[in-house]
Amino acid sequence: MSNISNTALFSGKSARIERTNPQHLLLWMTFVMSMVFAVWQALLNNFVIERAAFTGAEIGLLQSLREVPGFLAFTAVFVLLLIKEQTFALSSLALLCIGVGITGWFPDVIGLYLTTILMSIGFHYFETINQSLTLQWVDKADAPGFMGKALAWRSAAALVGYGSIWLIMNWLSLDYIWMYSIIGGCGLVMVFIMAVYFPRFAIGSIQHKHLILRKRYWLYYLLTFFSGARRQIFMVFAGFMMVEKFGYSVSEITALFLINYVVNLLFAPTIGRFIGKMGERNALIIEYVGLVIIFSSYAYVSDANIAAGLYVIDHLLFAMAIAMKTYFQKIADKQDIASTMSVSFTINHIAAVIIPVLLGILWLSSPKAVFFIGTGFAVCSLALAFNVPRHPEPGKEALWSPLMTKH
């Protein structure tokens, strides 16, 4: 697929080119998802406490319910029996916007559970199909750079979302119900415009419409599982440590989030291009060595500023996970992509269902042990990364395999 200059956005002739480039659709869908979800996530804790009197029990159940659609993401392949992937992606994105848009109208426990499930179904189905379309619509050579650009768009969209909170709730002094309604409504309008403006793009290979688990993808499955496990420790316990151990205020945590997004906005495209040059094997090894150091440091850090630095670096290393997706793109049959993305999203969320509960109990007696477990996950990932070939392709998925990998 040919690359199109960014200047294509500013002329009439170029606008027609933009309309026929599926990569632009991917970027705009990513922007809407990140903007709307960032607002939902930023307001959640304050809203449920102030309007619905949530305690730890209710918020814990809400977060568990939010992850269930991710665990059930494999069902996306069955929806593809009925509609095309592009239509599915836009419909899922619309569902996310609707779920967020109506959240403020149901300020009670049951209402928040139901709107969260609705939002989460849209979010997780969109993420599943978006990954599938990216691997199908972007050439292998261009994929790392494009995924880095997409991460930058996510960060920019989240910053727009945070800015809208300040504008609507602080400057205009409007209530939660208006904030949720406006951001969800804006997102829904943008989805409608995309659905009308962009044509239906062709899919290179007809995708399988049933679940696929192939022996030769075993290394990708394991990398995906450990990635999900590490993500949960970062999302749940690293941030919690900032508040419990170092007494970070709401404004300080928000500032930390903003720093993360700005850093990703600045460096994610460069990281994508870097992965394209160095290859997936080297990129994954660098990521996991870094994570071993960071998780071990979390266990012993005693300075709030150093902890914040570790947190930012940890978040930045997530951009290196681009290498895992491009590794799969290089080893996969094109017809397997949609089904495998559905299955891998479920594998990634197995840890989301188990780890927060079990490690939350362990946290009460030994926070250090939680981060050492994170170190263990990173070591397992590092061992797997050394098994990734320098030039992966179908039939050469791993340097060594305990399974038959006949293509």
Side-chain angles (χ1 to χ4, degrees):
M1 185 174 296
S2 61
N3 288 326
I4 295 179
S5 170
N6 289 334
T7 57
L9 298 174
F10 301 104
S11 70
K13 179 180 178 181
S14 298
R16 291 192 294 273
I17 297 174
E18 179 196 2
R19 184 176 182 271
T20 60
N21 185 353
Q23 294 185 21
H24 286 95
L25 174 60
L26 290 171
L27 290 174
W28 279 112
M29 289 194 300
T30 296
F31 184 91
V32 172
M33 182 282 297
S34 185
M35 178 184 70
V36 174
F37 183 74
V39 170
W40 180 88
Q41 190 174 42
L43 296 180
L44 178 66
N45 289 326
N46 293 84
F47 180 65
V48 299
I49 292 173
E50 294 175 20
R51 295 292 187 270
F54 267 35
T55 66
E58 287 85 11
I59 193 64
L61 180 56
L62 183 144
Q63 292 288 4
S64 294
L65 289 172
R66 185 175 71 85
E67 295 290 359
V68 169
F71 183 71
L72 298 176
F74 68 89
T75 58
V77 71
F78 302 124
V79 180
L80 292 177
L81 292 169
L82 305 175
I83 59 177
K84 301 293 186 181
E85 282 183 85
Q86 183 175 339
T87 302
F88 191 11
L90 289 168
S91 300
S92 299
L93 190 55
L95 192 63
L96 164 64
C97 294
I98 292 170
V100 172
I102 65 175
T103 295
W105 296 89
F106 298 94
D108 57 73
V109 174
I110 298 302
L112 282 164
Y113 287 165
L114 293 177
T115 55
T116 295
I117 291 172
L118 184 67
M119 178 279 301
S120 183
I121 291 172
F123 173 83
H124 285 99
Y125 272 159
F126 170 76
E127 284 287 87
T128 301
I129 301 303
N130 185 54
Q131 289 185 27
S132 172
L133 289 175
T134 299
L135 296 183
Q136 294 177 72
W137 282 346
V138 182
D139 288 342
K140 294 178 182 179
D142 299 332
F146 176 80
M147 291 182 188
K149 182 190 294 185
L151 280 176
W153 276 60
R154 282 178 183 249
S155 299
L159 293 175
V160 169
Y162 288 142
S164 71
I165 293 175
W166 176 84
L167 176 66
I168 294 171
M169 299 192 72
N170 291 348
W171 192 60
L172 297 178
S173 299
L174 296 180
D175 193 52
Y176 288 104
I177 190 170
W178 295 108
M179 182 67 243
Y180 282 120
S181 298
I182 290 171
I183 200 70
C186 287
L188 197 59
V189 169
M190 293 176 73
V191 172
F192 176 76
I193 291 172
M194 285 186 281
V196 173
Y197 182 71
F198 287 97
R200 294 296 176 264
F201 296 109
I203 299 295
S205 300
I206 301 299
Q207 296 295 295
H208 291 302
K209 302 300 193 297
H210 56 273
L211 293 178
I212 292 176
L213 280 169
R214 298 203 188 280
K215 289 181 179 179
R216 65 187 188 88
Y217 297 159
W218 70 272
L219 182 56
Y220 172 70
Y221 295 147
L222 284 178
L223 286 168
T224 299
F225 173 79
F226 284 110
S227 174
R230 293 192 317 276
R231 180 175 60 88
Q232 286 303 309
I233 293 179
F234 170 74
M235 292 181 64
V236 177
F237 298 105
F240 190 71
M241 175 187 68
M242 298 296 177
V243 177
E244 183 185 67
K245 185 173 182 178
F246 299 110
Y248 271 54
S249 65
V250 173
S251 60
E252 289 171 329
I253 287 292
T254 302
L256 196 56
F257 287 163
L258 288 172
I259 292 171
N260 279 339
Y261 283 121
V262 170
V263 169
N264 262 346
L265 180 63
L266 295 175
F267 292 104
T270 302
I271 290 175
R273 293 191 294 269
F274 186 58
I275 292 171
K277 292 180 179 179
M278 71 163 42
E280 288 78 12
R281 173 189 168 92
N282 291 333
L284 290 172
I285 289 173
I286 291 173
E287 177 189 1
Y288 301 142
V289 168
L291 288 172
V292 168
I293 296 171
I294 286 173
F295 277 116
S296 300
S297 300
Y298 276 149
Y300 291 106
V301 66
S302 58
D303 181 88
N305 294 324
I306 294 177
L310 291 172
Y311 191 85
V312 172
I313 297 172
D314 194 353
H315 191 269
L316 184 62
L317 283 175
F318 271 98
M320 300 289 281
I322 291 170
M324 194 168 64
K325 298 174 185 177
T326 57
Y327 160 69
F328 174 72
Q329 185 186 35
K330 290 181 177 180
I331 66 171
D333 289 336
K334 291 184 178 180
Q335 298 89 339
D336 292 353
I337 290 176
S339 178
T340 306
M341 285 299 99
S342 300
V343 172
S344 67
F345 222 71
T346 293
I347 292 172
N348 185 272
H349 280 74
I350 291 174
V353 177
I354 300 172
I355 283 180
V357 176
L358 296 181
L359 295 191
I361 296 172
L362 178 61
W363 181 273
L364 298 176
S365 58
S366 179
K368 283 186 178 181
V370 171
F371 291 122
F372 283 138
I373 290 174
T375 301
F377 288 149
V379 169
C380 291
S381 295
L382 180 60
L384 294 170
F386 278 109
N387 200 26
V388 174
R390 294 189 183 279
H391 303 287
E393 60 184 45
K396 296 181 180 178
E397 297 86 4
L399 296 177
W400 173 84
S401 174
L403 306 173
M404 293 180 62
T405 58
K406 182 182 289 186
H407 181 50

